[in-house]
Amino acid sequence: MNPFVFSGASNLTNEQILTLFIHDHNYSRFIQSKRNFFFWGERGAGKTMTLLYNKLVMQKEVKDSISHNSPIEYIPVYVSCITPLVFKREYLLLGSEFQASVVSEHYLALSMALALIDALIEIPEIIERIDQSELRLELDYLLDSKLPGADNVLKSIKLFLRKQFIQTQQKINSPESDSFYRDTYTFSSLLMPLMDIFRSMKMMHDLHFIFMMDDAHDLNASQRGALNSWIAYRDNSSFSFKVSAAKVSDYSLATTSGGAILHGHDYISINMEQDFQNLDSSYGKMAKKIISKRLDLAGFPEDFDSSDFFPVSKSLEKDIAKCKEKARILAIEKYGNSDSKKINDFVYKHGRAIYFRERSPKANRVQYSGMETIIHLSSGVIRNLLEPCYVMYDDMISETGSPDKIDKIKPSIQAEVIKRLSDRFWERLRDGIDKELPDCSVKQAEQVSCLFHALADLFRNRLLDPNCSEPRAIAFTISAKTDKLMSELKPILNLARSAQLLYIRSGTAKDGGAKEDYYVPNRMLWPARGLDPVGQHARVSIQASKLVGAIHTGKIEYLPQHNQMDPSGNTIQADMFNG
Amino acid sequence: MAKFNYLITCAGWEDRFVDGLKSNIELHDIDKIIILRVNEFTEKTKNNVAKLGEFLGNDDFQEVEVSLLDDAKTWRILEALFGDLAISSQSLCIDITTMPRFLIWFIMHFSEYYKNNSKYVYFKPERYEKCNWLTSDTEEPRLVFKHSGIFLPDQPTILIIQTGFDIERVNQLIYSYEPAKVYLWAQTGKQYDNAIENINKHKEQLQYQEIEYFEIDAYRDDYGYASMERIILKTKDEYNIVLSSFGPKPASLAMFKLNKEYPEVGLSYVLVKNYNDCYSHGTDIENIIIVE
């Protein structure tokens, strides 16, 4: 098996999740709490894996509590929102919006109830400790139905809930357009009494249910409104929500009553995508651990260094070292020998830039390789990290004929795979992302393409300009915004985000230290354009009007004279004038 | 010469729309013609619609405007059409050649509800052109009203997709449903430049690891019914199943029948706002496919 398999976490077994998960980046402090949290992250950022891992950890804690006769503190309830149920649209045929929202909430409440019962069934020690006949009586009363016979009352209620799903869909799918299911459930009529019943039982008086709502962006508008309303409940003693979602532009935080849930008040936000500048950043460390763990599973010794598995091309390493030395000499000429901070800073900013700058235009492509490069190319998204590794490993099997003969991925294969994957990004742009994204027009796809071509040229001009103060900056912020400009620009940026061509991050602004959003194009774009995907801790400030111009013309004017440094090394002009 | 009370067809920009209509009129005794016109494609279809006057009197057909994007509205228009015309139990010849799949399925729904005696006709083109793109401006996948299946949230999902040349739409389904597994049916036959090329193209471009490929000729025998049924029977107790069709249209008829037989299986489609006009040329009127 290819150790870098990157199938969705929901397709993994419990054992695989426990084995593959990187324990020290687990968010447990947030998940195992009574507060509501939103975990934001694009696909592949590790949201599902994090929730499922914490579910398993909490389940173990429940078992431990039961074995020690201690009260159970938390029950994790994992609810996947990406089931085909959320794509059902018969509600659009109903005459009233109210009926439509009732049916939508019914599906969601039933899904959560089923997940809750499954969560209890998954811990067999629970059923062994409860009075089943008493529980059956209470449930019969609550559901106004005699639960189907089964030895295990939890399995009985599961059968009941599944039957509810089937009956609802049979009724809704009956040929008459206005067919409506009347016996619907809500959070208040099903989930809350159900939780109360369990909380009235021995060892469960202080029980708190943690609903892990995974991929909540897939819920329909009514369901999202309902979920937000439940999040807005003030009393979090018996339940809370840990919601994972892609922070798409249209994720509404409105409740059904017309209000909105507030960050800090009703919930806390966690951004699961991380930017990083070096291997010692938290993402860099986690990425290395992920690769090491995968190699461990493939039979490599536990202390095997993943950098040895993905070695850097010798010539690249040598050439970059030479260029860093050149940068050091230049820095000493500028600042003298005594200010080591300034010298190191100059080498950091310009060492790699000199390598890219001084390459002959006729030279072969850069041999992009090495663990550091692969981690930077992932743009802070775990799936982006595993995919090239998966393909590289596959190519090595083709070359060697057997996985047993693989002790490293040759730099030439790394470079070839990176080139292929990078080319594919530009092919996608050339073909038009309207082919892959819903709600994207041909014109918008062309605008997205123009934007990235303009950014590539801008970043390349900066990289090649010896006077540029931040030559390897490959992220940008937007300055001089107006409502009019942003109304034109934002849809294009959002489409690029949906296509995972662009990521949004939050960082500290230069002036005043306030938080500001900045944009990171997927770094896998850059090898095909001869850029350095190993960026630097800097962002190019681009005026909104220039970006709007770029989506029409594919160009952002670069004015090198504004980026020159004075002899003391200070940038003469702020980058905001550039472009 | 078979007799039909109504011929229902859909205005298209391909040669097959006009040629097919002429052929249907020549081959069958038809009382009345209903032409569905998708309003989003009015500009693209206007030349072909104008040609109708050359061989049809203006009073000989009824034009019904439907919407591509507002499919709930289209549903209601068709419901009213079938109801108002009181075509209950009457015989229908339904030409699916240029009909978007959601319309095919909607019409099949009402045809069945109103107990019509229906025959479905499909004309192949004389040739397909190799284009670097087929469709653009797509919408999110949608489940078909009333044929959306019966799903359980605690079961994983599988997709059974009949694929044509259009990889992006397959990708979109995978992206939306995040299935545990995809059964990808590749069309065999010369017109598809052979199945191997078709499959290879998908294998190269679909970055999804759980795909099982199988080959069928959608123009033959049961239009893929038995092959799809085998997968359904094998998986339906443990999985939610979604069917979708992007290849030759007769397969969508088989999919509808499978939904009728196994209501737990849902039908899904991806709306497309822009097609490549050059995709097909001519009409093969020698080999008409008629499905009872």
Side-chain angles (χ1 to χ4, degrees):
Chain A
M1 181 188 142
N2 188 321
F4 303 106
V5 61
F6 55 103
S7 156
S10 49
N11 293 334
L12 298 175
T13 63
N14 289 350
E15 235 170 65
Q16 286 172 317
I17 289 166
L18 288 171
T19 314
L20 295 177
F21 194 77
I22 304 301
H23 305 260
D24 40 359
H25 294 84
N26 54 27
Y27 296 95
S28 296
R29 195 160 53 86
F30 308 118
I31 293 173
Q32 294 179 43
S33 77
K34 293 187 176 180
R35 293 213 61 173
N36 298 314
F37 277 87
F38 270 86
F39 293 87
W40 302 109
E42 291 298 334
R43 278 165 183 252
K47 303 185 297 293
T48 303
M49 192 79 167
T50 301
L51 293 180
L52 288 174
Y53 171 78
N54 276 282
K55 178 186 127 175
L56 294 172
V57 169
M58 281 190 272
Q59 282 180 340
K60 188 178 175 304
E61 282 168 10
V62 172
K63 289 178 185 180
D64 289 347
S65 297
I66 294 172
S67 69
H68 292 102
N69 273 326
S70 311
I72 302 171
E73 203 177 352
Y74 296 111
I75 291 279
V77 181
Y78 175 81
V79 184
S80 170
C81 300
I82 192 159
T83 78
L85 272 167
V86 301
F87 295 101
K88 289 202 159 251
R89 301 163 64 249
E90 280 79 12
Y91 65 87
L92 293 171
L93 301 177
L94 296 171
S96 98
E97 217 169 275
F98 174 71
Q99 281 187 332
S101 66
V102 165
V103 173
S104 295
E105 185 175 345
H106 172 69
Y107 281 137
L108 184 57
L110 278 179
S111 298
M112 291 168 66
L114 191 58
L116 189 153
I117 298 302
D118 271 335
L120 296 170
I121 290 174
E122 282 170 22
I123 308 168
E125 290 82 353
I126 288 180
I127 194 74
E128 289 166 11
R129 303 294 176 104
I130 55 179
D131 181 341
Q132 291 207 48
S133 56
E134 190 190 323
L135 178 59
R136 188 177 286 275
L137 267 179
E138 292 211 46
L139 290 170
D140 282 352
Y141 181 75
L142 166 69
L143 302 168
D144 194 22
S145 170
K146 184 139 185 64
L147 288 180
D151 292 342
N152 181 328
V153 65
L154 294 177
K155 289 188 176 162
S156 297
I157 185 168
K158 182 168 177 167
L159 285 175
F160 171 86
L161 292 168
R162 286 172 73 106
K163 195 173 176 189
Q164 284 294 308
F165 269 113
I166 293 167
Q167 282 177 342
T168 307
Q169 292 173 83
Q170 280 172 338
K171 177 70 183 161
I172 299 274
N173 278 359
S174 61
E176 298 76 23
S177 295
D178 57 353
S179 45
F180 176 66
Y181 188 74
R182 296 195 178 279
D183 300 326
T184 53
Y185 287 107
T186 64
F187 190 73
S188 309
S189 70
L190 181 62
L191 270 306
M192 289 178 80
L194 207 50
M195 286 188 278
D196 285 345
I197 288 174
F198 287 109
R199 278 166 55 87
S200 69
M201 304 178 84
K202 199 179 148 194
M203 291 198 310
M204 299 199 199
H205 296 296
D206 296 320
L207 182 57
H208 180 95
F209 289 91
I210 293 176
F211 289 97
M212 302 168 161
M213 311 297 292
D214 196 13
D215 288 325
H217 51 264
D218 278 316
L219 297 173
N220 68 32
S222 300
Q223 290 168 331
R224 229 182 276 174
L227 174 60
N228 291 340
S229 301
W230 307 333
I231 288 171
Y233 277 4
R234 288 290 170 270
D235 182 1
N236 278 133
S237 57
S238 56
F239 64 88
S240 62
F241 293 93
K242 316 296 181 236
V243 183
S244 90
K247 196 163 192 176
V248 285
S249 53
D250 59 350
Y251 194 98
S252 164
L253 296 169
T255 63
T256 45
S257 61
I261 48 172
L262 299 173
H263 179 248
H265 192 249
D266 300 303
Y267 70 93
I268 293 172
S269 267
I270 303 285
N271 187 354
M272 290 194 68
E273 288 169 26
Q274 301 180 46
D275 205 7
F276 61 98
Q277 302 307 326
N278 55 58
L279 287 177
D280 293 328
S281 70
S282 61
Y283 176 77
K285 282 180 186 166
M286 179 169 72
K288 275 201 88 168
K289 281 183 182 170
I290 288 170
I291 299 300
S292 295
K293 183 150 266 189
R294 299 295 180 119
L295 288 171
D296 182 18
L297 289 176
F300 285 82
E302 213 170 300
D303 56 353
F304 185 80
D305 188 344
S306 54
S307 299
D308 293 339
F309 194 74
F310 293 102
V312 189
S313 142
K314 288 277 176 234
S315 61
L316 177 72
E317 198 170 30
K318 204 172 84 190
D319 291 347
I320 286 191
K322 264 190 208 163
C323 292
K324 283 186 175 171
E325 193 44 41
K326 263 189 193 175
R328 182 170 299 282
I329 292 164
L330 276 174
I332 292 169
E333 277 172 18
K334 265 181 199 299
Y335 310 123
N337 232 336
S338 56
D339 196 338
S340 60
K341 188 184 171 303
K342 270 189 179 167
I343 294 169
N344 288 340
D345 193 41
F346 189 91
V347 172
Y348 164 71
K349 286 179 178 176
H350 293 273
R352 289 183 68 97
I354 290 171
Y355 167 77
F356 283 88
R357 198 177 294 147
E358 294 188 351
R359 282 172 52 77
S360 156
K362 288 178 186 164
N364 291 331
R365 273 203 189 189
V366 179
Q367 286 278 299
Y368 294 99
S369 51
M371 193 72 254
E372 187 184 15
T373 300
I374 293 169
I375 292 174
H376 277 271
L377 283 167
S378 71
S379 314
V381 176
I382 293 159
R383 199 174 296 179
N384 296 350
L385 172 75
L386 292 172
E387 188 190 358
C389 300
Y390 180 90
V391 182
M392 288 169 189
Y393 192 87
D394 221 38
D395 279 14
M396 275 302 290
I397 293 178
S398 304
E399 186 171 294
T400 59
S402 161
D404 302 335
K405 293 179 184 162
I406 301 175
D407 59 355
K408 64 172 183 291
I409 308 286
K410 282 179 12 188
S412 57
I413 285 195
Q414 293 179 53
E416 168 55 29
V417 169
I418 289 169
K419 172 185 172 295
R420 261 186 3 237
L421 294 178
S422 184
D423 284 344
R424 188 172 288 167
F425 271 85
W426 292 99
E427 276 163 30
R428 286 174 63 204
L429 283 166
R430 196 175 58 236
D431 293 346
I433 59 166
D434 55 299
K435 313 279 190 317
E436 53 188 86
L437 283 189
D439 305 322
C440 174
S441 68
V442 175
K443 189 177 166 203
Q444 286 174 315
E446 282 167 4
Q447 292 177 332
V448 170
S449 177
C450 278
L451 175 65
F452 281 93
H453 278 95
L455 287 169
D457 288 345
L458 174 69
F459 292 153
R460 186 153 179 82
N461 283 331
R462 293 173 59 87
L463 183 67
L464 298 185
D465 179 1
N467 294 317
C468 183
S469 61
E470 310 280 6
R472 290 190 297 115
I474 45 177
F476 65 93
T477 55
I478 304 175
S479 62
K481 298 179 205 171
T482 65
D483 289 348
K484 188 169 176 289
L485 288 167
M486 290 311 286
S487 67
E488 195 172 350
L489 189 57
K490 261 200 163 166
I492 303 305
L493 297 176
N494 287 335
L495 287 169
R497 287 178 65 196
S498 297
Q500 303 209 6
L501 291 161
L502 186 69
Y503 298 99
I504 191 164
R505 305 273 187 262
S506 184
T508 309
K510 270 185 182 173
D511 46 348
K515 285 275 180 189
E516 68 172 354
D517 283 341
Y518 64 96
Y519 298 84
V520 183
N522 192 318
R523 295 181 182 203
M524 190 52 96
L525 285 155
W526 303 141
R529 302 297 291 257
L531 284 159
D532 187 5
V534 179
Q536 66 175 96
H537 190 69
R539 310 190 276 267
V540 184
S541 173
I542 309 174
Q543 291 173 359
S545 60
K546 302 292 179 187
L547 286 166
V548 169
I551 67 177
H552 296 297
T553 62
K555 289 189 175 77
I556 299 174
E557 193 187 1
Y558 178 64
L559 303 172
Q561 68 273 23
H562 291 304
N563 289 282
Q564 288 174 357
M565 283 181 288
D566 66 17
S568 62
N570 297 318
T571 309
I572 290 173
Q573 283 282 7
D575 279 343
M576 64 180 289
F577 294 103
N578 179 24
Chain B
M1 180 176 273
K3 173 157 177 57
F4 293 101
N5 299 113
Y6 288 91
L7 164 68
I8 302 179
T9 183
C10 183
W13 52 88
E14 294 173 77
D15 302 333
R16 293 188 281 173
F17 166 56
V18 176
D19 295 343
L21 188 55
K22 280 181 185 166
S23 170
N24 280 323
I25 293 168
E26 278 168 26
L27 292 174
H28 309 302
D29 177 5
I30 291 163
D31 292 342
K32 177 116 191 183
I33 299 168
I34 295 173
I35 296 176
L36 304 175
R37 187 170 52 73
V38 178
N39 64 13
E40 287 86 346
F41 297 143
T42 302
E43 195 54 36
K44 275 173 95 82
T45 56
K46 70 177 184 196
N47 289 343
N48 266 352
V49 172
K51 286 182 195 165
L52 299 183
E54 294 167 13
F55 62 98
L56 286 177
N58 283 340
D59 296 333
D60 289 345
F61 66 94
Q62 179 185 351
E63 214 176 316
V64 176
E65 185 174 309
V66 293
S67 170
L68 178 80
L69 296 178
D70 190 350
D71 54 355
K73 183 178 167 190
T74 297
W75 178 272
R76 283 189 282 269
I77 290 169
L78 293 177
E79 187 175 31
L81 177 74
F82 273 71
D84 292 350
L85 288 175
I87 54 177
S88 181
S89 310
Q90 300 208 30
S91 58
L92 308 180
C93 173
I94 300 166
D95 185 344
I96 62 169
T97 312
T98 49
M99 216 176 256
R101 282 175 188 81
F102 79 101
L103 268 184
I104 297 175
W105 284 328
F106 284 10
I107 285 177
M108 290 184 88
H109 171 88
F110 289 113
S111 163
E112 198 174 280
Y113 186 63
Y114 284 96
K115 297 187 171 49
N116 296 116
N117 176 17
S118 300
K119 274 190 183 162
Y120 298 88
V121 182
Y122 179 78
F123 295 91
K124 292 193 259 186
E126 272 176 339
R127 66 182 175 88
Y128 290 98
E129 187 167 308
K130 272 200 172 178
C131 316
N132 56 8
W133 68 279
L134 273 186
T135 57
S136 68
D137 289 15
T138 56
E139 294 275 304
E140 274 184 353
R142 299 178 178 188
L143 288 166
V144 179
F145 298 129
K146 304 294 176 183
H147 302 275
S148 56
I150 295 171
F151 305 130
L152 291 168
D154 56 347
Q155 290 187 156
T157 301
I158 60 164
L159 296 178
I160 303 175
I161 306 172
Q162 179 215 23
T163 174
F165 302 110
D166 207 350
I167 293 155
E168 287 79 11
R169 283 198 278 170
V170 175
N171 232 339
Q172 219 171 13
L173 277 174
I174 293 173
Y175 187 81
S176 294
Y177 288 107
E178 287 203 357
K181 185 163 186 173
V182 178
Y183 290 89
L184 203 58
W185 156 11
Q187 171 65 21
T188 60
K190 245 187 354 193
Q191 71 282 10
Y192 275 75
D193 287 314
N194 84 49
I196 293 164
E197 189 186 320
N198 205 19
I199 287 179
N200 282 346
K201 201 168 145 193
H202 281 76
K203 278 183 179 166
E204 248 171 51
Q205 293 190 30
L206 288 174
Q207 293 161 27
Y208 191 75
Q209 295 156 38
E210 298 295 330
I211 295 182
E212 190 172 317
Y213 296 88
F214 63 109
E215 296 172 24
I216 322 175
D217 184 354
Y219 296 127
R220 288 204 176 165
D221 307 329
D222 62 353
Y223 314 105
Y225 185 97
S227 301
M228 286 187 282
E229 188 182 39
R230 269 197 294 279
I231 298 170
I232 291 167
L233 288 172
K234 196 169 70 179
T235 53
K236 75 182 176 65
D237 294 335
E238 290 172 52
Y239 293 91
N240 298 318
I241 304 173
V242 177
L243 300 181
S244 200
S245 157
F246 303 121
K249 283 179 179 155
S252 50
L253 306 178
M255 288 184 174
F256 189 86
K257 286 182 185 163
L258 281 164
N259 166 265
K260 194 178 161 194
E261 185 66 29
Y262 305 100
E264 56 269 51
V265 172
L267 302 178
S268 179
Y269 57 98
V270 179
L271 286 182
V272 174
K273 288 180 271 186
N274 193 19
Y275 289 86
N276 191 332
D277 293 351
C278 304
Y279 152 73
S280 82
H281 299 281
T283 310
D284 179 359
I285 50 170
E286 301 299 319
N287 298 295
I288 307 169
I289 292 174
I290 299 175
V291 185
E292 302 278 336

